[in-house]
Amino acid sequence: MTAIQEFKKNLIAARDKFEPLLKGDTDKFLEIAANYVEQNQGLLEKDRNSLYASITRAAQQGLYLDGQEAALVPFKGQVKFMSMYKGLLKQVRNSGELASINCGVVY
């Protein structure tokens, strides 16, 4: 069994852990996370506990690991979760605190 196959198997096995965090989007979230890690297989060479913890953190924040809403970044042998600007905008919109939000490039 390859490292990516083992990772996908473990991710699917942890589906019940993600279900309460994602409110129905669990399958989509897990598929996107698995594809992200498959495209960035260097993440599998880092600490696996930090990889799974980072995926869990993305689920807690309701962000997809697609490189636009959130990303996983290798750092000193660990995997770190990083919210991207589109993910931050999504969280603000979903909070219900603002009527609208806009962002632009600053030079």
Side-chain angles (χ1 to χ4, degrees):
M1 179 179 289
T2 65
I4 191 66
Q5 289 172 333
E6 179 186 346
F7 168 77
K8 287 180 178 182
K9 179 182 170 191
N10 291 338
L11 198 59
I12 291 168
R15 185 183 191 289
D16 293 338
K17 177 180 164 184
F18 292 108
E19 187 70 39
L21 301 172
L22 296 166
K23 302 172 191 132
D25 287 340
T26 308
D27 293 330
K28 182 178 178 181
F29 176 85
L30 294 177
E31 183 178 331
I32 291 171
N35 288 338
Y36 183 86
V37 173
E38 187 171 15
Q39 292 172 357
N40 301 285
Q41 290 196 23
L43 295 171
L44 294 172
E45 298 168 7
K46 307 301 178 193
D47 178 53
R48 289 286 175 93
N49 289 331
S50 67
L51 174 61
Y52 290 116
S54 295
I55 293 170
T56 301
R57 187 160 175 216
Q60 289 170 337
Q61 294 188 16
L63 301 177
Y64 292 119
L65 293 166
D66 58 3
Q68 294 184 21
E69 290 185 10
L72 299 177
V73 180
F75 183 74
K76 295 185 179 180
Q78 303 283 315
V79 177
K80 302 289 182 182
F81 167 80
M82 182 181 289
S83 294
M84 307 302 276
Y85 85 95
K86 287 185 179 182
L88 295 173
L89 290 173
K90 178 181 178 180
Q91 288 179 313
V92 170
R93 280 190 212 101
N94 291 342
S95 73
E97 297 291 320
L98 296 174
S100 68
I101 188 168
N102 192 351
C103 66
V105 178
V106 177
Y107 294 97

